[in-house]
Amino acid sequence: MTTYKLGVLYGDGIGPEIVSATVKVLKAAASKAANGTEFVFIELPMGWEGIKKYNDPMPDVTKQGLKETDGWLMGPHDSSAYPDEHRLFKRNPSGELRHCFDLFANIRPSRTFPGTKSVAGFSDLIILRENSEGFLSDRNMYIGTGECMVTPDVALVTGVFTRKSIERIAHEAFKLAMSRRKKVTIVHKANVIRLAFGLFRDICYETGKKYYPEVKVEDVLIDAMAARLVRRAGDFDVIVTENLFGDILSDLAGELAGSLGLSPSLNTNGKLAMAQAAHGSAPDIAGQDLANPTSMLLSAVMLLQWLSAHHRDPRLNEIAKKMEDACLGTIADGTVTHDLGGSASTTAFTDAVIKKIYQLS
């Protein structure tokens, strides 16, 4: 029996509902696989739970606890509603974990699934978002948040671009492309922000030419990229860009593919990984059994696939496949939540996925 420790951070809003659903599905898939793999789930406080218990939305007890895990499931947070002392000039919970553990690569797939209505036709792409620098200034400073108020009427924000960080996200993008359709698209704004984005663009090109000559490379300006995604999302394979642009494009790509509720993501530094739904906490539907858990479920699938490769344990891939096949099979059968035009509740969808796991096995 091989045991893996997974941290569980339920988060805010719909977080407890979709994370609980994911844990149930993962347990069902592991039990059905019966391949000698066991999971220990370690629950740790985050968000409002952390504020109530420790006066901190990302308390030290959680960060220390995560160091003892093989990876973790992180629910969404409602940081915009936190008290000022936890909201102003501090990183939000996901940003704090990305910074603390240097989870520099944010991998965000977007693809169309049978049984869903895509706005932009067929797509199967991955956006590689550099997590540690760029223009999201709460991530790019050793101390501080990278923005300041010079006067009550003047605000400054600092973007940071370094060769080290650009090279490592470029390597991740090209490695992914080598396992897919061997095409990388670099997204930037070097026509205006010439030095910073010129550096990003040029280092990505250099990395590809030197180490991955089989991969086709192109570069596209961010504004043109937004338009091209709407018209021709199916043209793209792996997209690599900085933090802010990656955040925006991944939401756009998710909605174009059918719903942001279908969009998973994985954050990693090559040694640790965090599964995190790409969407927010949706406080307007929290506690109503309406949330779509698919994004969180597929994020957990990505985590298991990453752990399988990292630990060279194919049994984890077997469990991941059972989860993914059952989730997508349930959607294809027409059992979908409200965001996809269906009537299934969070609970009903989760139960249907678990039932599908047993049917497919």
Side-chain angles (χ1 to χ4, degrees), residues 20-316:
S20 294
T22 299
V23 171
K24 289 178 183 177
V25 171
L26 201 162
K27 287 180 177 178
S31 67
K32 190 61 181 175
N35 59 12
T37 304
E38 181 180 59
F39 295 98
V40 175
F41 296 93
I42 302 171
E43 298 181 359
L44 296 164
M46 181 197 93
W48 281 108
E49 182 185 5
I51 292 172
K52 291 173 183 176
K53 290 183 177 180
Y54 298 97
N55 194 36
D56 191 337
M58 185 48 66
D60 286 340
V61 67
T62 297
K63 288 182 279 191
Q64 292 301 318
L66 291 175
K67 292 179 181 178
E68 305 302 318
T69 70
D70 295 293
W72 60 91
L73 308 172
M74 181 176 185
H77 53 76
D78 187 17
S79 55
S80 62
Y82 295 164
D84 285 352
E85 63 180 299
H86 301 300
R87 182 174 55 83
L88 300 177
F89 305 108
K90 289 180 68 175
R91 282 182 284 269
N92 63 40
S94 61
E96 179 63 20
L97 288 184
R98 291 170 182 166
H99 182 81
C100 177
F101 291 99
D102 194 26
L103 303 173
F104 68 88
N106 191 344
I107 306 166
R108 294 192 165 190
S110 177
R111 55 179 168 147
T112 50
F113 301 133
T116 63
K117 296 179 180 179
S118 169
V119 176
F122 172 81
S123 68
D124 178 10
L125 59 87
I126 295 178
I127 294 175
L128 257 292
R129 171 187 173 193
E130 202 291 314
N131 255 347
S132 67
E133 294 184 344
F135 280 102
L136 285 188
S137 59
D138 62 338
R139 319 286 161 82
N140 61 21
M141 294 286 164
Y142 174 65
I143 296 175
T145 62
E147 60 177 343
C148 63
M149 292 289 291
V150 180
T151 74
D153 301 311
V154 178
L156 300 179
V157 61
T158 303
V160 177
F161 295 76
T162 66
R163 175 173 289 275
K164 174 186 174 182
S165 293
I166 299 167
E167 283 183 344
R168 65 183 184 176
I169 196 65
H171 276 292
E172 293 299 313
F174 282 102
K175 285 188 287 187
L176 265 176
M178 287 291 290
S179 68
R180 291 169 50 88
R181 303 193 302 276
K182 296 185 178 180
K183 181 180 179 182
V184 166
T185 303
I186 307 161
V187 175
H188 60 90
K189 192 63 177 172
N191 61 326
V192 176
I193 306 173
R194 295 181 177 87
L195 297 180
F197 278 112
L199 187 70
F200 188 93
R201 177 199 59 203
D202 293 347
I203 291 175
C204 286
Y205 267 119
E206 289 171 13
T207 304
K209 182 178 180 180
K210 183 175 181 180
Y211 297 102
Y212 311 92
E214 307 98 313
V215 178
K216 179 181 178 182
V217 188
E218 65 175 354
D219 68 280
V220 181
L221 296 174
I222 178 63
D223 44 339
M225 187 65 194
R228 287 178 63 180
L229 272 180
V230 174
R231 293 231 176 231
R232 303 194 307 274
D235 289 355
F236 299 100
D237 181 19
V238 175
I239 298 166
V240 62
T241 190
E242 62 89 43
N243 210 341
L244 179 59
F245 290 176
D247 192 18
I248 296 168
L249 287 179
S250 56
D251 276 17
L252 173 61
E255 280 297 315
L256 291 174
S259 169
L260 197 54
L262 300 172
S263 301
S265 76
L266 189 77
N267 302 263
T268 180
N269 60 11
K271 297 178 181 179
L272 284 171
M274 172 174 78
Q276 180 184 25
H279 58 71
S281 64
D284 56 322
I285 61 169
Q288 299 178 46
D289 203 23
L290 293 175
N292 183 354
T294 300
S295 178
M296 195 71 236
L297 283 171
L298 295 181
S299 298
V301 168
M302 292 180 70
L303 176 61
L304 293 183
Q305 292 169 338
W306 183 90
L307 288 170
S308 177
H310 185 66
H311 293 280
R312 299 180 181 178
D313 186 350
R315 297 172 299 176
L316 292 167

Side-chain angles (χ1 to χ4, degrees), residues 289-294 334-346 349:
D289 203 23
L290 293 175
N292 183 354
T294 300
T335 302
V336 294
T337 47
H338 293 257
D339 60 312
L340 296 175
S343 59
S345 64
T346 310
F349 180 80

